[in-house]
Amino acid sequence: MPHLLRWALMSGLLCAPALVQAQNALSPAARAALETPGSPAQPDAEHSRLRLLRAGALLAVPGEAARGQSTLVIGADGRITAIHPGWPEAAALGLPADTEVIDLKDQFVMPGFMDVHVHLTSGGIAGRIPDAALREEDGFFALNGARNARSTLMAGFTTVRDLGAPDGAIYPLRDAVRAGIVAGPHILAAGAGISPTNGHADVHGLRKALLAASDRGNTCNGADDCMRATREAIRAGADVIKVHVTGGVTDSSDTGTGQQFTDAELQAIAWTAHSMGRKVTTHAHGKEGIDAAVRAGYDSIEHAMWADEESLKAMKARGTWLVPTVWPIDWVGDTPDKVRAGPFRNLNENSMAKMLLLGDQPKKLALMAVRLGVPIALGTDSGISPHGTNGREMIEYVAAGMSPMEALKTGTVNAAAVMGLKDRGRIAPGMLADVIALGGDPIRDIAQVLNVRFVMRDGIIFKQSGIAQGE
């Protein structure tokens, strides 16, 4: 009804007295929505308001001991205001007696998960459409990203870092989530990512005219040019700088997965990003590229497939974060037979050769990194693996030798540290009310990270009793 009234007013079909009469017939909530467009936040969720959340168990800070019965006070500003033991009544806390209560007494409550490496506009339905990148405008990929963002949020991930998407798709999606137009996690976005010409994030395999028409404006050559590209990425809206120091597997280039940016170019990008208040991370497969990025002061390394013990020890010594992206290899296949029968069985010839060479190396890398104590944050490369399956990365870490608690840290406090976010990753007064509830205890059974029953972001409920709100 509010949408019809708004349309009628804009089209001139209702005069002012008729509009007032129609407005007065609405419920107070509907009238408020009409008077304040976009509030509450679409049909996907309600606005935050003062609530008590009663937890059967609470892991307030992953890495510290879980608590028993607890009550969170969530303010109308979408932040945690207090944590109390037990399940006290609102009046006992000095709150109005009719304060809304969220009953999660039979569930395990903890901070929302975070994934520091996703590609929201990739994969999903759009990933199954041939030549979509050549046929469709950025808006198509933004809408595909909205669908994938919702799936990610419903899996309990309340913040993600998108490390590769068209600028014209990912920045509007990020802002639309922030404005409450669509349901999704908080998004930190890198845009298209910085690549050398013919590198992993450049366009490949097209005739010259199509290459020029498909140029994303994200390539650079030489230190000075790479400083320019970094500054332009930040001006375009990048929250983080993503670099492609080595070649990659899924691009159709035959140039391999070794180092492709020079040390001087890497240093220029890192200096420029840091000088403008941005963290810098890089896609890296080959050892030489990994080592060069660590020397250049990169904040984190994505994938690091062919890192050896020397590389990992250097990362640990410098405090460089590793984002190993292990789960996708299970999805794609960790043996030649599995790859040829799996979802990427129709890869082009060059990519298939690189994929077969990769094998189960990500699993071996994770085993070595856990043994050496390299700092790890959760990243899934979703868009390769399906969006909404992000929690499986924690299961892979436990298989690699982490304790369940350490695995939970990778997707909460560690991920927050990698992204430089101080207002989430744990539950404490003043922190964002990004809260999830699981059907069981993940410290006893890490598979419970897939059993997400409740999702709150910014104090807004998006999923309750296992059911997405607005559906």
Side-chain angles (χ1 to χ4, degrees):
M1 182 66 174
H3 301 293
L4 292 175
L5 286 174
R6 194 175 292 119
W7 172 80
L9 177 61
M10 292 176 66
S11 63
L13 294 180
L14 279 180
C15 63
L19 178 63
V20 170
Q21 184 177 5
Q23 285 179 322
N24 289 338
L26 294 173
S27 69
R31 188 159 55 248
L34 176 64
E35 293 166 356
T36 311
S39 176
Q42 302 302 317
D44 294 303
E46 299 177 346
H47 261 323
S48 179
R49 57 178 177 269
L50 179 64
R51 291 183 170 107
L52 293 182
L53 187 154
R54 292 177 175 161
L58 174 66
L59 181 61
V61 183
E64 299 181 3
R67 313 181 191 190
Q69 298 174 356
S70 302
T71 296
L72 308 182
V73 181
I74 298 167
D77 61 353
R79 292 183 178 269
I80 306 292
T81 63
I83 304 174
H84 299 281
W87 299 326
E89 295 297 326
L93 301 176
L95 301 174
D98 61 351
T99 298
E100 181 184 349
V101 175
I102 303 169
D103 185 355
L104 303 178
K105 293 178 181 177
D106 60 347
Q107 296 174 45
F108 186 98
V109 173
M110 63 176 295
F113 297 137
M114 290 184 271
D115 189 330
V116 305
H117 190 140
V118 301
H119 300 280
L120 288 173
T121 66
S122 303
I125 293 173
R128 299 192 289 273
I129 298 176
D131 301 323
L134 295 177
R135 298 173 182 274
E136 302 294 345
E137 301 290 344
D138 284 349
F140 174 87
F141 294 98
L143 291 170
N144 185 61
R147 184 184 181 98
N148 295 333
R150 185 179 181 86
S151 297
T152 303
L153 181 64
M154 295 308 144
F157 284 78
T158 54
T159 299
V160 299
R161 189 171 69 170
D162 190 287
L163 293 184
D167 289 6
I170 192 60
Y171 296 142
L173 175 61
R174 173 196 63 190
D175 297 344
V177 169
R178 184 182 298 155
I181 297 171
V182 298
H186 302 280
I187 300 170
L188 274 69
I194 297 175
S195 171
T197 297
N198 200 50
H200 182 47
D202 198 2
V203 186
H204 306 89
L206 303 176
R207 49 187 278 203
K208 192 171 183 179
L210 291 177
L211 285 173
S214 303
D215 181 25
R216 304 184 184 108
N218 64 319
T219 58
C220 61
N221 302 285
D224 287 347
D225 194 35
C226 287
M227 293 175 73
R228 172 202 57 78
T230 304
R231 289 172 177 147
E232 289 188 355
I234 295 170
R235 181 177 65 178
D239 301 303
V240 59
I241 295 300
K242 164 72 176 299
V243 182
H244 294 82
V245 61
T246 73
V249 171
T250 56
D251 69 72
S252 60
S253 171
D254 63 356
T255 54
T257 57
Q259 181 175 350
Q260 295 179 350
F261 265 132
T262 68
D263 284 29
E265 290 168 329
L266 291 174
Q267 290 163 8
I269 295 169
W271 183 89
T272 306
H274 289 152
S275 73
M276 292 191 166
R278 299 298 191 272
K279 290 186 177 292
V280 60
T281 191
T282 185
H283 157 108
H285 285 328
K287 170 180 165 56
E288 295 81 4
I290 296 164
D291 293 347
V294 173
R295 288 195 302 270
Y298 278 52
D299 298 292
S300 54
I301 308 293
E302 312 293 321
H303 314 305
M305 300 303 186
W306 299 103
D308 61 12
E309 189 163 317
E310 177 187 42
S311 303
L312 293 174
K313 286 182 176 177
M315 291 177 65
K316 182 179 179 180
R318 289 175 175 261
T320 309
W321 288 92
L322 170 64
V323 184
T325 63
V326 185
W327 156 236
I329 201 64
D330 258 355
W331 171 254
V332 172
D334 58 2
T335 68
D337 287 346
K338 290 179 182 177
V339 171
R340 291 192 178 102
F344 280 39
R345 59 187 173 274
N346 295 322
L347 270 179
N348 65 80
E349 182 179 355
N350 289 333
S351 294
M352 180 59 77
K354 291 181 282 188
M355 185 73 75
L356 295 175
L357 182 63
L358 183 60
D360 65 350
Q361 180 60 23
K363 294 186 177 184
K364 294 175 182 176
L365 166 73
L367 284 165
M368 182 165 47
V370 171
R371 176 174 59 83
L372 293 173
V374 179
I376 292 175
L378 184 148
T380 60
D381 210 6
S382 288
I384 299 296
S385 51
H387 298 280
T389 65
N390 313 58
R392 292 187 179 275
E393 185 77 9
M394 285 179 269
I395 297 173
E396 295 286 351
Y397 295 160
V398 172
M402 276 191 191
S403 70
M405 183 67 86
E406 288 295 319
L408 294 172
K409 286 178 62 179
T410 67
T412 51
V413 292
N414 291 7
V418 167
M419 292 187 279
L421 301 174
K422 298 181 179 180
D423 60 355
R424 66 201 80 172
R426 55 194 175 93
I427 294 174
M431 304 292 281
L432 289 179
D434 290 359
V435 179
I436 63 171
L438 311 177
D441 183 349
I443 301 170
R444 297 176 180 271
D445 175 15
I446 192 61
Q448 291 297 325
V449 297
L450 306 180
N451 186 14
V452 177
R453 308 293 299 162
F454 174 88
V455 177
M456 170 181 281
R457 196 213 71 216
D458 294 315
I460 303 168
I461 299 173
F462 287 89
K463 186 176 186 179
Q464 194 161 14
S465 301
I467 301 172
Q469 301 301 284
E471 293 185 350

